[in-house]
Amino acid sequence: FSRAVGLLGGQPGGQLAGQPGGQLARAWASRASWFRGPICHPGRVLESARTAIEIMDAAGLGWPEQRAELLAAWAWAEAVAGNTEICDQLLGQVQAVLGGETGGDLVTHGVGHARAFSLIRRGRFADSYAPQIAAGEAAGRAGRPDLSYGSWCNAACAAACAGDFARALEFVDRGMAALAGSGLAALELQYQAARAHVLVRMGRLADARAAAEAERELAD
């Protein structure tokens, strides 16, 4: 990535070096996206989203939809591994950037996913269901089952933390349905592991064993 940034005329820290900044901003926005899916690295998401926004500001680029996506990604990084108060402030900026509009499905996903984690960090597990459901459904509409995985799997985790294992199983099954036909076997494997875990907690040991066997077959 550092080599790519150099070829675009900027330094890894975001200096423009006389370039308009559009391609450079898009490069950093792409990097933020890479680390927000199954390759989950909140620190790099935060760095990348913040740098992209700084470049856009320096270049005078409005780009409300892209800016809203980046703010939501930054908010998610704060919710997961940073400051939940900053997360809430950034989500407020998303609304200001969009001028009251909802934005596209990727914005809806990013906002819901970040808000859900902010609630989870506060121990409000049941309250996190609704924004996480909205995020998972939006990712599905956007054709991004890789992103929907984070929503449905973490919704299941929150439900398990709340002791609501029937709801956790529902979220796992919705996530598996969202993956159907995608070829993302590595994520389906994770869902089978989650399904086995929840079924054990529910005392459904035969079903849990079947899920574990399905997981093993996928791994093989």
Side-chain angles (χ1 to χ4, degrees), residues 37-204:
I39 303 175
C40 179
H41 198 310
R44 289 181 181 172
V45 172
L46 190 156
E47 173 198 24
S48 303
R50 183 169 57 195
T51 300
I53 290 172
E54 290 173 352
I55 293 169
M56 288 164 60
D57 288 343
L61 300 171
W63 292 3
E65 186 77 13
Q66 292 85 347
R67 185 179 294 267
E69 286 185 30
L70 288 163
L71 286 168
W74 183 355
W76 170 82
E78 293 285 1
V80 172
N83 187 316
T84 55
E85 297 298 328
I86 294 176
C87 167
D88 295 344
Q89 294 169 14
L90 291 166
L91 291 177
Q93 290 183 39
V94 172
Q95 298 305 312
V97 165
L98 294 175
E101 299 295 326
T102 57
D105 287 327
L106 290 178
V107 173
T108 300
H109 170 270
V111 168
H113 202 37
R115 183 166 287 124
F117 271 100
S118 179
L119 291 165
I120 288 170
R121 283 280 299 280
R122 292 175 166 94
R124 295 170 58 185
F125 300 115
D127 290 339
S128 74
Y129 299 170
Q132 204 71 283
I133 290 169
E137 292 175 344
R141 291 193 302 270
R144 293 292 304 273
D146 58 319
L147 290 183
S148 76
Y149 164 78
S151 298
W152 297 121
C153 193
N154 283 291
C157 290
C161 288
D164 190 353
F165 298 110
R167 197 70 189 276
L169 185 61
E170 174 195 336
F171 290 139
V172 171
D173 288 344
R174 289 191 69 174
M176 291 179 69
L179 285 186
S182 69
L184 295 173
L187 296 184
E188 187 178 350
L189 185 150
Q190 300 293 339
Y191 277 126
Q192 291 288 7
R195 198 167 196 277
H197 177 87
V198 173
L199 288 166
V200 166
R201 297 298 296 274
M202 297 173 76
R204 294 170 55 183

